[in-house]
Amino acid sequence: MTIERKIREHLHKEAETMECPSAISKRIEQSYSQYLQRKRSEITMKKRLIGGIVAAAILIPTAVFAAPSLIEMLTRTPMTTEQVKVDEVGKATLEKLYSAFPETKSFEIIDASHLGGDPTNSTKMKAIQISIVLQEKGGTGKKIRLDTNGITGEIEHVNQENWEPKEKPIISLTDQEIKAKVDYLIDKMYGNIDKYEFSMEQMENPNQKTFMLNYTEKGSKTPFYQVFVQGNTISVSLIGGGPTSSVEGFFSTNGKPDYTADSFLNDEKLFSLLKISPTELKLELAKGKSVVEIAASKNVSKQQVIDVIANTQAEGQIQAEQNGEIPKNNHSKEQMKKALEPKVLQVIEHKTETPW
């Protein structure tokens, strides 16, 4: 057994014996629940939400959350400064930072690593995430950490430390001033936030004051940006939640929700084709109609419905193959769509409360 494995198992064992504060447990449950709801339509959300939870774990001085973050550190592979600067994702991340905060050009990279894949070897799978930590030389110890998705190139997390004077850390500012600092960081790294609704609350952390700020698009239940502020640190996670456009349990069996068809029917292009909202579609199906019958009432043919759903499913498979989440089968998109048609047909001809 390697020393890394021994340490990992020890940390897991220790974490299991620690009691997690109920309020924080509830937060984690809510985040995980939101993740599960979005999993079907947007697989890349997984890393973002898990990353958000990890970001919270780093900030909250609770041993039970510190253990998972330590475990994650053991699974990361270090990168040199030279490797970061020649890596496509690393280079783009630095350029983004330098453009947003020109002063960071003089910062030094004090730590860098990748999770999964190998960005230094083009013949191997891309890294899931690349992390870079830069620190001001001398001065007040300004530090910034960036976690970038190795596949999409999106900066998923920004952790900004010690950018306020020690004698007046960010947590000592008024709520309005804290929000202004967070707004500025998001605006510089991601762009204008005017379209987002905002909420701020203090978490029940007996050890140190911690605020959670959510920036949510109108109509969405999931924040687009989730921010934790503690001490002299601001941690922004790009969650990416958009307006809710899906429902669960389109059909029912024995009076209970049946989730069999949800991944096929939660399709924006299908809703657009039928000119119907997901909630309205569920209500129509609950009346005993099939999707085909609903489509016919709107002068939409069965084949049009099949084409739209099969196309979305095929694109999802191709994306998953490119992300390395499923093995490649070397089938063309058209071949995939053809193979999917019987499954799609079964779903769109199905009626609630009838056997599959």
Side-chain angles (χ1 to χ4, degrees), residues 92-105:
T93 301
L94 290 176
E95 288 175 353
K96 175 74 175 175
L97 175 64
Y98 295 155
S99 175
F101 297 100
E103 65 185 292
T104 58
K105 290 179 181 177

Side-chain angles (χ1 to χ4, degrees), residues 127-329:
I128 296 171
Q129 189 182 74
I130 292 179
S131 300
I132 308 170
V133 184
L134 301 95
Q135 188 170 31
E136 179 186 30
K137 295 176 182 176
T140 58
K142 290 182 180 178
K143 188 188 292 185
I144 190 162
R145 170 176 171 147
L146 306 165
D147 296 310
T148 304
N149 188 308
I151 297 166
T152 65
E154 285 183 311
I155 297 176
E156 298 175 329
H157 313 291
V158 179
N159 208 63
Q160 189 186 62
E161 298 178 46
N162 303 324
W163 284 54
E164 298 301 314
K166 279 186 179 178
E167 58 274 17
K168 194 175 182 181
I170 187 167
I171 205 67
S172 68
L173 304 178
T174 65
D175 290 0
Q176 192 174 9
E177 289 172 329
I178 291 174
K179 179 181 182 301
K181 297 289 182 184
V182 174
D183 285 357
Y184 183 74
L185 177 58
I186 294 176
D187 183 70
K188 298 296 283 184
M189 294 303 299
Y190 296 104
N192 193 279
I193 57 170
D194 289 346
K195 69 176 181 178
Y196 299 102
E197 296 177 333
F198 166 80
S199 67
M200 178 177 180
E201 60 180 297
Q202 185 174 346
M203 299 183 71
E204 295 178 18
N205 179 4
N207 299 317
Q208 193 171 14
K209 187 186 289 184
T210 302
F211 287 102
M212 181 172 71
L213 296 81
N214 286 320
Y215 293 78
T216 308
E217 282 190 77
K218 190 175 182 181
S220 174
K221 293 181 179 177
T222 305
F224 199 89
Y225 302 106
Q226 190 166 66
V227 185
F228 289 91
V229 176
Q230 186 184 81
N232 211 356
T233 300
I234 301 173
S235 180
V236 179
S237 292
L238 175 63
I239 304 298
T244 303
S245 60
S246 62
V247 298
E248 291 188 316
F250 279 97
F251 298 110
S252 62
T253 302
N254 297 323
K256 296 181 179 179
D258 184 338
Y259 306 104
T260 307
D262 287 10
S263 63
F264 281 74
L265 297 184
N266 273 315
D267 186 328
E268 289 287 354
K269 293 177 182 175
L270 173 65
F271 303 143
S272 178
L273 176 68
L274 299 181
K275 295 181 174 60
I276 195 170
S277 73
T279 304
E280 290 169 338
L281 177 59
K282 182 173 181 176
L283 289 173
E284 288 298 304
L285 294 172
K287 295 175 183 175
K289 299 177 184 176
S290 69
V291 175
V292 172
E293 290 172 341
I294 296 169
S297 69
K298 298 174 178 292
N299 297 318
V300 175
S301 71
K302 180 192 295 185
Q303 192 57 50
Q304 283 178 289
V305 174
I306 292 173
D307 289 344
V308 164
I309 298 177
N311 187 66
T312 299
Q313 294 294 317
E315 288 179 346
Q317 288 189 24
I318 292 170
Q319 186 63 53
E321 288 181 9
Q322 291 175 346
N323 293 346
E325 293 157 354
I326 61 173
K328 290 187 176 181
N329 61 23

Side-chain angles (χ1 to χ4, degrees), residues 337-347:
K337 288 171 62 178
K338 201 67 182 176
L340 284 161
E341 283 191 5
K343 298 177 183 176
V344 176
L345 187 61
Q346 185 183 17
V347 170

Side-chain angles (χ1 to χ4, degrees), residues 52-65:
I53 294 170
V54 170
I58 293 170
L59 277 170
I60 299 169
T62 308
V64 72
F65 291 122

